[in-house]
């Protein structure tokens, strides 16, 4: 079993309007603190991002925020984090988020969240890292995205094996358990001309 000491969470910079998502964000923050897992995230004090960070801190957990200078200037950065790292740009931020984390969890969010999820999943598909990636499908939020991924397989744009790289669950504890059990493929399934 993998030891998880830090998890990077990708999620909305907005709070959205689904109370179940809002409550689950707080539960995730609490669960990370209780399991002694450091939260790594985008450093905002707003939205689902802020809710998770505050819940982790309230339950005496460690939180590292990583934010590029141009976002820090917008005064929405959480200034009460255990550690705040300022990067030159988004690319440096995402590389650092990857390096500092043992696993990734995506909670509900908007296009920024999707971009982060698919970049880290692409890197795993290419064998650039071997860390588990979870999708917390709270209250069916990602059902349509999962259907789209299945369509990619059906139409021959995504291999079944690569779809399995994304670990999907709607419960925090079972998702964490699956992340711990994840075994990265020996060889990435790269493109071939066969
Ligand atoms: P979205 O899902 O579109 O709300 O975007 C979420 C992602 O956008 C975050 O994980 C960050 O990468 C980025 N982001 C947007 N606003 C902020 C902010 N105020 N502070 C830090 N990151 C932000």
């Amino acid at each position: 079993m993998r030891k998880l000491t830090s998890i990077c969470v990708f999620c909305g910079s907005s709070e959205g309007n689904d109370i179940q998502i809002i409550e689950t964000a707080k539960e995730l923050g609490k669960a990370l603190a209780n399991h002694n897992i450091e939260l790594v995230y985008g450093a905002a004090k707003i939205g689902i991002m802020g809710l998770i960070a505050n819940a982790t801190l309230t339950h005496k957990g460690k939180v590292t925020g990583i934010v590029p200078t141009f976002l820090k200037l917008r005064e929405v950065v959480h200034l009460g984090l255990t550690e705040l790292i300022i990067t030159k740009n988004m690319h440096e931020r995402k590389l650092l988020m990857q390096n500092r984390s043992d696993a990734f969890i995506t909670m509900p969010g908007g296009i920024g969240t999707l971009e982060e999820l698919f970049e880290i999943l692409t890197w795993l598909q290419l064998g650039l890292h071997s860390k588990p990636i979870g999708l917390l499908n709270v209250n069916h939020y990602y059902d349509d995205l999962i259907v789209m991924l299945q369509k990619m397989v059906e139409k021959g744009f995504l291999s079944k094996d690569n779809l399995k790289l994304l670990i999907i669950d709607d419960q925090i504890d079972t998702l964490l358990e699956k992340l711990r059990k994840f075994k990265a493929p020996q060889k990435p399934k790269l493109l071939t001309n066969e």
Side-chain angles (χ1 to χ4, degrees), residues 11-13 42 44 46 49 67 71 74 76 93 109-113 116:
C11 58
S13 55
I46 50 170
M49 299 171 79
V67 70
L71 276 176
R74 291 186 48 224
V76 280
R93 173 206 223 183
I111 55 173
T113 302
E116 291 168 330

Side-chain angles (χ1 to χ4, degrees), residues 114-186:
L114 288 188
E115 186 264 344
E116 291 168 330
L117 167 64
F118 284 110
E119 180 171 72
I120 208 70
L121 193 55
T122 306
W123 290 0
L124 178 59
Q125 176 176 261
L126 294 172
L128 298 176
H129 71 83
S130 54
K131 299 175 182 181
I133 302 171
L135 183 68
L136 192 56
N137 189 20
V138 186
N139 200 14
H140 303 281
Y141 182 73
Y142 282 119
D143 283 2
D144 296 335
L145 185 72
I146 296 164
V147 168
M148 184 67 219
L149 290 167
Q150 285 160 348
K151 189 176 196 165
M152 289 178 191
V153 173
E154 201 184 296
K155 298 284 178 185
F157 289 105
L158 172 65
S159 76
K160 257 192 190 148
D161 285 340
N162 280 338
L163 176 55
K164 283 191 208 136
L165 294 175
L166 182 62
I167 302 166
I168 303 168
D169 208 288
D170 57 5
Q171 298 298 318
I172 294 167
D173 281 344
T174 38
L175 186 66
L176 287 174
E177 202 52 30
K178 288 178 183 174
L179 295 179
R180 286 196 187 95
K181 287 186 179 147
F182 175 75
K183 285 198 177 78
Q186 297 287 0

Side-chain angles (χ1 to χ4, degrees), residues 66-86:
I66 307 180
V67 70
T69 319
F70 81 95
L71 276 176
K72 182 164 186 282
L73 297 174
R74 291 186 48 224
E75 293 181 355
V76 280
V77 163
H78 198 307
L79 296 175
L81 304 177
T82 319
E83 189 180 1
L84 179 65
I85 301 173
I86 313 294

Side-chain angles (χ1 to χ4, degrees), residues 51-115:
L51 290 174
I52 299 176
N54 282 332
T56 306
L57 291 168
T58 300
H59 293 91
K60 312 264 178 274
K62 256 177 88 181
V63 182
T64 295
I66 307 180
V67 70
T69 319
F70 81 95
L71 276 176
K72 182 164 186 282
L73 297 174
R74 291 186 48 224
E75 293 181 355
V76 280
V77 163
H78 198 307
L79 296 175
L81 304 177
T82 319
E83 189 180 1
L84 179 65
I85 301 173
I86 313 294
T87 63
K88 281 206 282 291
N89 53 47
M90 289 291 271
H91 294 293
E92 196 187 303
R93 173 206 223 183
K94 284 189 285 179
L95 190 61
L96 206 54
M97 282 173 139
Q98 200 265 110
N99 289 339
R100 299 274 299 225
S101 314
D102 297 326
F104 306 88
I105 290 180
T106 297
M107 276 277 298
I111 55 173
T113 302
L114 288 188
E115 186 264 344

